Amino acid sequence: MLLGCIADDLTGATDLALMLTRNGMRTIQVMGVPDADVSLEGADAVVVALKSRTNPAEEAVRWSLQSADALRAAGARQIFFKYCSTFDSTDKGNIGPVAEALLEHLKGEIALVCPAFPANKRTVYLGHLFVGDVLLHESPMKDHPLTPMRDSNLVRVLQRQTRLKVGLVPYSVVDQGAEAIGKAFAEAAGNGTRFVVVDALQDRHLVEMGRAAADHPLITGGSGVAMGLPDNFERKGLLKKSPPATHIKAPQGRAVILAGSCSEATRGQIRAAQAAGLPAFKLDPFALAKGQVGAADVLSWASQQTPDTPILVYSSDEPENVRAAQAELGREEAGAMIERELATIARGLVEAGFSRLIVAGGETSGAVVGALGIKALEIGPEIDPGVPWTRSKEGQGLVLALKSGNFGSPDFFLKAWKLLE
Ligand code: ADP
């Protein structure tokens, strides 16, 4: 194992694992701090999926350090700390506290900081993060319920989260390539700077900064920065690249789509699946809260459907209906209740012989994977940007596609199955 990664949420971890796989590293994703009974054998890279974006900073730091130790014990030569391409964090953290603790723990001199992902229109110029055509603080991220981003200057944002000195490697240097970036790293380290935000407008910039950081014990960034890291290991003669999977072996069994995301993309995918005739069961939060409907009803309904097509179970709804449910039941309570129910349904369906699952929604995916007791996932072929098929390492190997709400094309729920063998 060469590269050990720590991601601050589940679908972010999958996104990173896919990036590494696509660039030639055999990658395993592990849920939570790896314990002794999870096998990390046979992987070039391991991505630990934590849920450490918004929990107390001390806890995020503890889990991250424990993960780094486990990854290094399994052979990792470099640690990558992955956060969101919109730098999701509060003034208290957790990007700063976790990055700082990792840098000290790994005895690193300096670490780069770059959430850029040009393919998804996240770019950094003079330390300012752009989302599409607008600055971060003018993007929808300004209203995020948990991590509202109201400052686009990443040097400032990070400096509020850490006592270590934060600097910048600007575009004019980055554009000259790895050697110039490396010199800028050395100069910054020489004047006591420990973190450098690095500009990136194109993939090429991500690859060059990765190359310049080949010998850093710690790299921090979005999944974009990981693009160039497999090449570093190949250049050192440590990695023999493997082509990414085009198909994945799936056990016999029925297929289900579980959707808890209310994003526009997921609602469109549900409409397309219904238009194509997939049997669908809609979970109504009011009926759920009153106990008028529940997992048992869904399981009994599922057993009466034809086994020949995937079935769809969803709670996803239009924004005004979601607001109404939240007003009546409470925002977190409504969310947690639906996540719990979908997770119970997932467990029941797997017991009834379902073995192929698409789950839509980041939090929803976390709840389902937790309820199924899945500890590690192999990364298979990419269905759409950022979403691969995965197979659980334990048991008979369920196949799962864990989709962040907004990802995927309108026919995602219909076409994804074609990549299963
Ligand atoms: P996304 O990836 O789109 O953010 P998540 O699964 O992370 O999706 O978040 C969606 C949240 O909305 C979950 O907590 C889910 O339980 C909740 N939810 C789903 N359907 C409804 C609904 N009809 N009313 C209120 N909340 C809902």
Side-chain angles (χ1 to χ4, degrees), residues 117-171:
F117 197 173
N120 283 350
K121 297 194 165 37
R122 275 41 157 176
T123 52
V124 180
Y125 181 63
L126 299 182
H128 289 74
L129 178 56
F130 286 80
V131 178
D133 299 338
V134 297
L135 282 159
L136 175 67
H137 73 274
E138 294 168 349
S139 79
M141 279 305 294
K142 70 183 190 308
D143 300 317
H144 191 282
L146 302 175
T147 52
M149 300 303 290
R150 306 247 161 89
D151 186 355
S152 305
N153 182 327
L154 297 182
V155 175
R156 255 185 339 229
V157 173
L158 185 59
Q159 193 65 82
R160 283 196 289 271
Q161 300 179 20
T162 172
R163 50 189 181 84
L164 302 182
K165 189 167 161 195
V166 184
L168 172 73
V169 180
Y171 172 76

Tab-separated table of all heavy atoms in Angstrom, residues 117-171:
chain	number	residue	atom	x	y	z
A	117	PHE	N	-11.196	21.625	-8.464
A	117	PHE	CA	-11.616	20.477	-9.280
A	117	PHE	C	-12.217	21.064	-10.552
A	117	PHE	O	-13.438	21.198	-10.684
A	117	PHE	CB	-12.629	19.647	-8.499
A	117	PHE	CG	-12.831	18.259	-9.032
A	117	PHE	CD1	-13.614	17.345	-8.342
A	117	PHE	CD2	-12.244	17.829	-10.227
A	117	PHE	CE1	-13.811	16.056	-8.815
A	117	PHE	CE2	-12.422	16.557	-10.713
A	117	PHE	CZ	-13.212	15.666	-10.000
A	118	PRO	N	-11.338	21.462	-11.510
A	118	PRO	CA	-11.812	22.200	-12.690
A	118	PRO	C	-12.942	21.484	-13.444
A	118	PRO	O	-13.863	22.151	-13.924
A	118	PRO	CB	-10.550	22.321	-13.551
A	118	PRO	CG	-9.429	22.261	-12.567
A	118	PRO	CD	-9.874	21.328	-11.482
A	119	ALA	N	-12.899	20.142	-13.498
A	119	ALA	CA	-13.955	19.424	-14.220
A	119	ALA	C	-15.328	19.725	-13.621
A	119	ALA	O	-16.342	19.708	-14.318
A	119	ALA	CB	-13.685	17.920	-14.185
A	120	ASN	N	-15.373	19.982	-12.319
A	120	ASN	CA	-16.634	20.335	-11.659
A	120	ASN	C	-16.745	21.837	-11.412
A	120	ASN	O	-17.512	22.278	-10.551
A	120	ASN	CB	-16.789	19.576	-10.339
A	120	ASN	CG	-17.201	18.139	-10.558
A	120	ASN	OD1	-17.543	17.749	-11.685
A	120	ASN	ND2	-17.146	17.335	-9.520
A	121	LYS	N	-15.913	22.601	-12.143
A	121	LYS	CA	-15.970	24.072	-12.089
A	121	LYS	C	-15.609	24.653	-10.718
A	121	LYS	O	-16.141	25.679	-10.312
A	121	LYS	CB	-17.353	24.582	-12.509
A	121	LYS	CG	-17.727	24.246	-13.952
A	121	LYS	CD	-18.912	25.056	-14.377
A	121	LYS	CE	-19.194	25.124	-15.840
A	121	LYS	NZ	-18.969	23.974	-16.670
A	122	ARG	N	-14.708	23.979	-10.027
A	122	ARG	CA	-14.147	24.558	-8.797
A	122	ARG	C	-12.715	24.954	-9.124
A	122	ARG	O	-11.896	24.069	-9.423
A	122	ARG	CB	-14.074	23.523	-7.684
A	122	ARG	CG	-15.266	23.272	-6.810
A	122	ARG	CD	-16.572	23.237	-7.414
A	122	ARG	NE	-17.476	22.477	-6.576
A	122	ARG	CZ	-18.737	22.332	-6.826
A	122	ARG	NH1	-19.278	22.886	-7.901
A	122	ARG	NH2	-19.492	21.643	-6.026
A	123	THR	N	-12.424	26.270	-9.097
A	123	THR	CA	-11.074	26.728	-9.401
A	123	THR	C	-10.599	27.675	-8.309
A	123	THR	O	-11.420	28.281	-7.595
A	123	THR	CB	-11.049	27.468	-10.759
A	123	THR	OG1	-12.057	28.482	-10.756
A	123	THR	CG2	-11.329	26.511	-11.921
A	124	VAL	N	-9.269	27.792	-8.173
A	124	VAL	CA	-8.703	28.684	-7.156
A	124	VAL	C	-7.776	29.666	-7.860
A	124	VAL	O	-6.848	29.254	-8.564
A	124	VAL	CB	-7.916	27.886	-6.084
A	124	VAL	CG1	-7.343	28.845	-5.038
A	124	VAL	CG2	-8.807	26.850	-5.410
A	125	TYR	N	-8.037	30.957	-7.702
A	125	TYR	CA	-7.190	31.993	-8.305
A	125	TYR	C	-6.827	33.018	-7.240
A	125	TYR	O	-7.710	33.584	-6.579
A	125	TYR	CB	-7.922	32.672	-9.468
A	125	TYR	CG	-7.082	33.731	-10.138
A	125	TYR	CD1	-5.887	33.393	-10.784
A	125	TYR	CD2	-7.448	35.066	-10.092
A	125	TYR	CE1	-5.097	34.356	-11.376
A	125	TYR	CE2	-6.659	36.038	-10.683
A	125	TYR	CZ	-5.484	35.684	-11.326
A	125	TYR	OH	-4.690	36.639	-11.909
A	126	LEU	N	-5.512	33.223	-7.074
A	126	LEU	CA	-4.994	34.115	-6.027
A	126	LEU	C	-5.629	33.781	-4.666
A	126	LEU	O	-6.006	34.667	-3.905
A	126	LEU	CB	-5.217	35.586	-6.401
A	126	LEU	CG	-4.490	36.010	-7.700
A	126	LEU	CD1	-4.711	37.482	-8.002
A	126	LEU	CD2	-2.988	35.721	-7.604
A	127	GLY	N	-5.788	32.489	-4.451
A	127	GLY	CA	-6.301	32.016	-3.167
A	127	GLY	C	-7.805	32.090	-3.023
A	127	GLY	O	-8.362	31.668	-2.014
A	128	HIS	N	-8.487	32.633	-4.063
A	128	HIS	CA	-9.945	32.753	-3.989
A	128	HIS	C	-10.603	31.578	-4.692
A	128	HIS	O	-10.278	31.269	-5.838
A	128	HIS	CB	-10.414	34.067	-4.624
A	128	HIS	CG	-10.045	35.265	-3.804
A	128	HIS	ND1	-8.759	35.743	-3.725
A	128	HIS	CD2	-10.791	36.055	-2.990
A	128	HIS	CE1	-8.733	36.786	-2.909
A	128	HIS	NE2	-9.947	36.994	-2.444
A	129	LEU	N	-11.560	30.958	-4.017
A	129	LEU	CA	-12.232	29.787	-4.583
A	129	LEU	C	-13.472	30.209	-5.368
A	129	LEU	O	-14.337	30.925	-4.836
A	129	LEU	CB	-12.619	28.815	-3.454
A	129	LEU	CG	-13.380	27.543	-3.833
A	129	LEU	CD1	-12.625	26.713	-4.873
A	129	LEU	CD2	-13.620	26.682	-2.583
A	130	PHE	N	-13.516	29.767	-6.622
A	130	PHE	CA	-14.671	30.026	-7.491
A	130	PHE	C	-15.498	28.756	-7.636
A	130	PHE	O	-14.959	27.661	-7.763
A	130	PHE	CB	-14.209	30.465	-8.885
A	130	PHE	CG	-13.677	31.870	-8.934
A	130	PHE	CD1	-12.374	32.140	-8.523
A	130	PHE	CD2	-14.474	32.921	-9.367
A	130	PHE	CE1	-11.871	33.439	-8.551
A	130	PHE	CE2	-13.984	34.220	-9.400
A	130	PHE	CZ	-12.681	34.480	-8.994
A	131	VAL	N	-16.816	28.909	-7.621
A	131	VAL	CA	-17.742	27.813	-7.896
A	131	VAL	C	-18.463	28.215	-9.179
A	131	VAL	O	-19.298	29.130	-9.163
A	131	VAL	CB	-18.737	27.623	-6.737
A	131	VAL	CG1	-19.729	26.512	-7.052
A	131	VAL	CG2	-17.996	27.317	-5.447
A	132	GLY	N	-18.094	27.566	-10.283
A	132	GLY	CA	-18.618	28.022	-11.573
A	132	GLY	C	-18.128	29.435	-11.831
A	132	GLY	O	-16.945	29.728	-11.692
A	133	ASP	N	-19.056	30.327	-12.142
A	133	ASP	CA	-18.695	31.695	-12.520
A	133	ASP	C	-18.631	32.646	-11.337
A	133	ASP	O	-18.328	33.822	-11.498
A	133	ASP	CB	-19.755	32.264	-13.489
A	133	ASP	CG	-19.838	31.439	-14.749
A	133	ASP	OD1	-18.844	30.750	-15.046
A	133	ASP	OD2	-20.884	31.485	-15.416
A	134	VAL	N	-18.975	32.172	-10.146
A	134	VAL	CA	-19.046	33.105	-9.012
A	134	VAL	C	-18.086	32.695	-7.896
A	134	VAL	O	-17.658	31.539	-7.806
A	134	VAL	CB	-20.485	33.198	-8.427
A	134	VAL	CG1	-21.448	33.748	-9.457
A	134	VAL	CG2	-20.959	31.850	-7.905
A	135	LEU	N	-17.758	33.654	-7.064
A	135	LEU	CA	-16.934	33.360	-5.893
A	135	LEU	C	-17.728	32.488	-4.920
A	135	LEU	O	-18.963	32.545	-4.880
A	135	LEU	CB	-16.509	34.667	-5.226
A	135	LEU	CG	-15.356	35.388	-5.949
A	135	LEU	CD1	-15.319	36.858	-5.591
A	135	LEU	CD2	-14.016	34.724	-5.602
A	136	LEU	N	-16.983	31.702	-4.138
A	136	LEU	CA	-17.613	30.776	-3.185
A	136	LEU	C	-18.693	31.459	-2.332
A	136	LEU	O	-19.779	30.908	-2.132
A	136	LEU	CB	-16.514	30.199	-2.274
A	136	LEU	CG	-16.949	29.293	-1.126
A	136	LEU	CD1	-17.523	27.988	-1.676
A	136	LEU	CD2	-15.775	28.995	-0.196
A	137	HIS	N	-18.391	32.669	-1.851
A	137	HIS	CA	-19.328	33.307	-0.910
A	137	HIS	C	-20.576	33.844	-1.613
A	137	HIS	O	-21.515	34.284	-0.942
A	137	HIS	CB	-18.637	34.417	-0.113
A	137	HIS	CG	-18.353	35.660	-0.891
A	137	HIS	ND1	-17.207	35.823	-1.649
A	137	HIS	CD2	-19.059	36.800	-1.046
A	137	HIS	CE1	-17.222	37.014	-2.224
A	137	HIS	NE2	-18.345	37.632	-1.878
A	138	GLU	N	-20.584	33.809	-2.964
A	138	GLU	CA	-21.795	34.209	-3.706
A	138	GLU	C	-22.518	32.987	-4.247
A	138	GLU	O	-23.565	33.107	-4.876
A	138	GLU	CB	-21.400	35.122	-4.880
A	138	GLU	CG	-20.832	36.447	-4.414
A	138	GLU	CD	-20.180	37.230	-5.543
A	138	GLU	OE1	-19.983	36.669	-6.644
A	138	GLU	OE2	-19.857	38.394	-5.311
A	139	SER	N	-21.949	31.809	-4.044
A	139	SER	CA	-22.544	30.566	-4.550
A	139	SER	C	-23.594	30.068	-3.553
A	139	SER	O	-23.687	30.599	-2.436
A	139	SER	CB	-21.449	29.512	-4.724
A	139	SER	OG	-21.130	28.957	-3.460
A	140	PRO	N	-24.367	29.027	-3.927
A	140	PRO	CA	-25.355	28.491	-2.961
A	140	PRO	C	-24.716	28.045	-1.640
A	140	PRO	O	-25.407	27.922	-0.636
A	140	PRO	CB	-25.959	27.297	-3.711
A	140	PRO	CG	-25.760	27.619	-5.161
A	140	PRO	CD	-24.480	28.389	-5.245
A	141	MET	N	-23.386	27.845	-1.630
A	141	MET	CA	-22.716	27.432	-0.387
A	141	MET	C	-22.842	28.482	0.723
A	141	MET	O	-22.629	28.172	1.890
A	141	MET	CB	-21.232	27.147	-0.653
A	141	MET	CG	-20.962	25.780	-1.232
A	141	MET	SD	-21.647	24.436	-0.242
A	141	MET	CE	-20.673	24.582	1.257
A	142	LYS	N	-23.200	29.722	0.354
A	142	LYS	CA	-23.348	30.751	1.395
A	142	LYS	C	-24.506	30.419	2.337
A	142	LYS	O	-24.546	30.880	3.467
A	142	LYS	CB	-23.538	32.136	0.769
A	142	LYS	CG	-24.879	32.347	0.078
A	142	LYS	CD	-24.910	33.743	-0.555
A	142	LYS	CE	-26.273	34.144	-1.067
A	142	LYS	NZ	-26.949	33.189	-1.980
A	143	ASP	N	-25.446	29.595	1.854
A	143	ASP	CA	-26.628	29.258	2.664
A	143	ASP	C	-26.621	27.818	3.159
A	143	ASP	O	-27.651	27.304	3.582
A	143	ASP	CB	-27.900	29.461	1.819
A	143	ASP	CG	-28.022	30.898	1.356
A	143	ASP	OD1	-27.763	31.789	2.183
A	143	ASP	OD2	-28.354	31.117	0.175
A	144	HIS	N	-25.475	27.146	3.075
A	144	HIS	CA	-25.474	25.742	3.514
A	144	HIS	C	-25.893	25.655	4.984
A	144	HIS	O	-25.434	26.451	5.811
A	144	HIS	CB	-24.077	25.138	3.326
A	144	HIS	CG	-24.060	23.659	3.492
A	144	HIS	ND1	-24.079	23.056	4.719
A	144	HIS	CD2	-24.081	22.653	2.581
A	144	HIS	CE1	-24.083	21.743	4.568
A	144	HIS	NE2	-24.093	21.472	3.269
A	145	PRO	N	-26.796	24.710	5.317
A	145	PRO	CA	-27.310	24.667	6.687
A	145	PRO	C	-26.226	24.428	7.743
A	145	PRO	O	-26.357	24.911	8.870
A	145	PRO	CB	-28.318	23.505	6.678
A	145	PRO	CG	-28.141	22.802	5.379
A	145	PRO	CD	-27.465	23.733	4.440
A	146	LEU	N	-25.196	23.668	7.422
A	146	LEU	CA	-24.196	23.332	8.441
A	146	LEU	C	-22.881	24.086	8.275
A	146	LEU	O	-22.258	24.481	9.257
A	146	LEU	CB	-23.905	21.814	8.408
A	146	LEU	CG	-25.123	20.914	8.617
A	146	LEU	CD1	-24.744	19.457	8.444
A	146	LEU	CD2	-25.741	21.147	9.994
A	147	THR	N	-22.450	24.264	7.037
A	147	THR	CA	-21.157	24.915	6.800
A	147	THR	C	-21.320	26.055	5.786
A	147	THR	O	-20.838	25.956	4.664
A	147	THR	CB	-20.130	23.899	6.259
A	147	THR	OG1	-20.725	23.228	5.127
A	147	THR	CG2	-19.724	22.884	7.286
A	148	PRO	N	-22.022	27.135	6.184
A	148	PRO	CA	-22.177	28.259	5.256
A	148	PRO	C	-20.815	28.882	4.970
A	148	PRO	O	-20.060	29.176	5.891
A	148	PRO	CB	-23.076	29.229	6.031
A	148	PRO	CG	-22.919	28.855	7.467
A	148	PRO	CD	-22.610	27.398	7.507
A	149	MET	N	-20.483	29.063	3.679
A	149	MET	CA	-19.176	29.610	3.309
A	149	MET	C	-19.365	31.068	2.896
A	149	MET	O	-19.904	31.351	1.834
A	149	MET	CB	-18.564	28.773	2.191
A	149	MET	CG	-18.332	27.305	2.558
A	149	MET	SD	-17.299	27.047	4.024
A	149	MET	CE	-15.708	27.571	3.428
A	150	ARG	N	-18.901	31.984	3.732
A	150	ARG	CA	-19.138	33.410	3.500
A	150	ARG	C	-17.869	34.182	3.190
A	150	ARG	O	-17.865	35.396	3.159
A	150	ARG	CB	-19.817	34.021	4.735
A	150	ARG	CG	-21.089	33.271	5.152
A	150	ARG	CD	-22.336	34.116	4.942
A	150	ARG	NE	-23.535	33.309	4.902
A	150	ARG	CZ	-24.262	32.970	5.974
A	150	ARG	NH1	-23.903	33.367	7.169
A	150	ARG	NH2	-25.353	32.242	5.822
A	151	ASP	N	-16.740	33.468	3.023
A	151	ASP	CA	-15.471	34.112	2.677
A	151	ASP	C	-14.831	33.224	1.611
A	151	ASP	O	-14.707	32.013	1.803
A	151	ASP	CB	-14.583	34.184	3.931
A	151	ASP	CG	-13.302	34.976	3.698
A	151	ASP	OD1	-13.045	35.389	2.541
A	151	ASP	OD2	-12.555	35.173	4.678
A	152	SER	N	-14.443	33.831	0.474
A	152	SER	CA	-13.880	33.032	-0.621
A	152	SER	C	-12.367	32.956	-0.574
A	152	SER	O	-11.760	32.212	-1.335
A	152	SER	CB	-14.292	33.631	-1.966
A	152	SER	OG	-15.688	33.729	-2.014
A	153	ASN	N	-11.749	33.742	0.323
A	153	ASN	CA	-10.292	33.779	0.396
A	153	ASN	C	-9.807	32.638	1.300
A	153	ASN	O	-9.896	32.706	2.522
A	153	ASN	CB	-9.863	35.141	0.955
A	153	ASN	CG	-8.359	35.273	1.026
A	153	ASN	OD1	-7.635	34.296	1.262
A	153	ASN	ND2	-7.872	36.486	0.825
A	154	LEU	N	-9.280	31.583	0.661
A	154	LEU	CA	-8.962	30.363	1.419
A	154	LEU	C	-7.810	30.556	2.395
A	154	LEU	O	-7.747	29.868	3.411
A	154	LEU	CB	-8.651	29.219	0.453
A	154	LEU	CG	-9.797	28.798	-0.465
A	154	LEU	CD1	-9.375	27.625	-1.342
A	154	LEU	CD2	-11.048	28.425	0.331
A	155	VAL	N	-6.907	31.493	2.083
A	155	VAL	CA	-5.814	31.762	3.023
A	155	VAL	C	-6.420	32.281	4.324
A	155	VAL	O	-6.089	31.830	5.420
A	155	VAL	CB	-4.808	32.782	2.430
A	155	VAL	CG1	-3.741	33.138	3.459
A	155	VAL	CG2	-4.178	32.226	1.162
A	156	ARG	N	-7.367	33.220	4.182
A	156	ARG	CA	-8.033	33.771	5.367
A	156	ARG	C	-8.865	32.713	6.082
A	156	ARG	O	-8.828	32.587	7.301
A	156	ARG	CB	-8.959	34.920	4.945
A	156	ARG	CG	-8.402	36.270	5.279
A	156	ARG	CD	-9.344	37.413	4.976
A	156	ARG	NE	-10.397	37.215	4.037
A	156	ARG	CZ	-10.667	38.037	3.021
A	156	ARG	NH1	-9.887	39.087	2.812
A	156	ARG	NH2	-11.690	37.820	2.228
A	157	VAL	N	-9.641	31.955	5.302
A	157	VAL	CA	-10.523	30.931	5.906
A	157	VAL	C	-9.690	29.941	6.722
A	157	VAL	O	-9.992	29.660	7.888
A	157	VAL	CB	-11.325	30.177	4.814
A	157	VAL	CG1	-12.097	29.006	5.424
A	157	VAL	CG2	-12.285	31.120	4.103
A	158	LEU	N	-8.616	29.447	6.102
A	158	LEU	CA	-7.809	28.440	6.799
A	158	LEU	C	-7.078	29.049	7.994
A	158	LEU	O	-6.970	28.410	9.040
A	158	LEU	CB	-6.820	27.789	5.820
A	158	LEU	CG	-5.995	26.633	6.399
A	158	LEU	CD1	-6.898	25.509	6.914
A	158	LEU	CD2	-5.017	26.083	5.363
A	159	GLN	N	-6.589	30.293	7.821
A	159	GLN	CA	-5.839	30.919	8.918
A	159	GLN	C	-6.705	31.081	10.171
A	159	GLN	O	-6.199	31.033	11.283
A	159	GLN	CB	-5.282	32.274	8.463
A	159	GLN	CG	-4.250	32.841	9.420
A	159	GLN	CD	-2.979	31.976	9.498
A	159	GLN	OE1	-2.099	32.064	8.671
A	159	GLN	NE2	-2.889	31.110	10.519
A	160	ARG	N	-8.032	31.229	9.973
A	160	ARG	CA	-8.922	31.319	11.144
A	160	ARG	C	-9.047	29.978	11.872
A	160	ARG	O	-9.479	29.923	13.001
A	160	ARG	CB	-10.331	31.764	10.709
A	160	ARG	CG	-10.440	33.259	10.417
A	160	ARG	CD	-11.897	33.705	10.375
A	160	ARG	NE	-12.595	33.222	9.195
A	160	ARG	CZ	-12.641	33.862	8.035
A	160	ARG	NH1	-12.043	35.038	7.892
A	160	ARG	NH2	-13.304	33.368	7.014
A	161	GLN	N	-8.660	28.904	11.170
A	161	GLN	CA	-8.860	27.559	11.738
A	161	GLN	C	-7.576	26.933	12.292
A	161	GLN	O	-7.609	25.820	12.805
A	161	GLN	CB	-9.430	26.613	10.673
A	161	GLN	CG	-10.766	27.021	10.105
A	161	GLN	CD	-11.252	26.043	9.035
A	161	GLN	OE1	-10.813	24.903	8.962
A	161	GLN	NE2	-12.168	26.498	8.205
A	162	THR	N	-6.440	27.607	12.098
A	162	THR	CA	-5.184	26.998	12.542
A	162	THR	C	-4.235	28.048	13.100
A	162	THR	O	-4.249	29.207	12.671
A	162	THR	CB	-4.477	26.246	11.380
A	162	THR	OG1	-3.176	25.823	11.820
A	162	THR	CG2	-4.317	27.097	10.133
A	163	ARG	N	-3.367	27.605	14.041
A	163	ARG	CA	-2.366	28.565	14.558
A	163	ARG	C	-1.106	28.518	13.696
A	163	ARG	O	-0.217	29.334	13.831
A	163	ARG	CB	-2.066	28.301	16.036
A	163	ARG	CG	-1.761	26.892	16.305
A	163	ARG	CD	-1.651	26.474	17.746
A	163	ARG	NE	-1.332	25.059	17.680
A	163	ARG	CZ	-0.111	24.592	17.525
A	163	ARG	NH1	0.922	25.396	17.515
A	163	ARG	NH2	0.103	23.290	17.401
A	164	LEU	N	-0.990	27.541	12.793
A	164	LEU	CA	0.176	27.489	11.906
A	164	LEU	C	0.012	28.516	10.789
A	164	LEU	O	-1.103	28.840	10.390
A	164	LEU	CB	0.333	26.082	11.310
A	164	LEU	CG	0.475	24.935	12.322
A	164	LEU	CD1	0.680	23.600	11.595
A	164	LEU	CD2	1.629	25.195	13.280
A	165	LYS	N	1.161	28.996	10.281
A	165	LYS	CA	1.117	30.076	9.284
A	165	LYS	C	0.677	29.558	7.911
A	165	LYS	O	1.166	28.536	7.431
A	165	LYS	CB	2.508	30.707	9.188
A	165	LYS	CG	2.563	31.963	8.374
A	165	LYS	CD	3.898	32.670	8.615
A	165	LYS	CE	4.195	33.648	7.493
A	165	LYS	NZ	5.596	34.074	7.515
A	166	VAL	N	-0.240	30.306	7.286
A	166	VAL	CA	-0.786	29.918	5.981
A	166	VAL	C	-0.308	30.908	4.913
A	166	VAL	O	-0.367	32.122	5.120
A	166	VAL	CB	-2.335	29.925	6.011
A	166	VAL	CG1	-2.901	29.425	4.675
A	166	VAL	CG2	-2.874	29.085	7.163
A	167	GLY	N	0.161	30.387	3.785
A	167	GLY	CA	0.613	31.247	2.682
A	167	GLY	C	-0.058	30.861	1.368
A	167	GLY	O	-1.024	30.086	1.349
A	168	LEU	N	0.481	31.405	0.278
A	168	LEU	CA	-0.132	31.199	-1.041
A	168	LEU	C	0.943	30.941	-2.093
A	168	LEU	O	1.977	31.606	-2.107
A	168	LEU	CB	-0.920	32.468	-1.419
A	168	LEU	CG	-1.483	32.522	-2.842
A	168	LEU	CD1	-2.678	31.582	-2.994
A	168	LEU	CD2	-1.915	33.955	-3.200
A	169	VAL	N	0.691	29.978	-2.976
A	169	VAL	CA	1.504	29.851	-4.191
A	169	VAL	C	0.588	30.265	-5.337
A	169	VAL	O	-0.362	29.552	-5.670
A	169	VAL	CB	2.024	28.407	-4.398
A	169	VAL	CG1	2.851	28.337	-5.677
A	169	VAL	CG2	2.859	27.965	-3.203
A	170	PRO	N	0.855	31.446	-5.917
A	170	PRO	CA	-0.093	31.994	-6.882
A	170	PRO	C	0.014	31.360	-8.266
A	170	PRO	O	1.004	30.692	-8.591
A	170	PRO	CB	0.290	33.467	-6.944
A	170	PRO	CG	1.740	33.491	-6.614
A	170	PRO	CD	1.992	32.343	-5.674
A	171	TYR	N	-0.984	31.627	-9.049
A	171	TYR	CA	-1.099	31.119	-10.416
A	171	TYR	C	0.165	31.350	-11.244
A	171	TYR	O	0.600	30.472	-11.980
A	171	TYR	CB	-2.304	31.802	-11.075
A	171	TYR	CG	-2.427	31.528	-12.544
A	171	TYR	CD1	-2.895	30.295	-12.997
A	171	TYR	CD2	-2.045	32.490	-13.474
A	171	TYR	CE1	-2.984	30.031	-14.346
A	171	TYR	CE2	-2.136	32.234	-14.821
A	171	TYR	CZ	-2.599	31.007	-15.260
A	171	TYR	OH	-2.695	30.747	-16.593
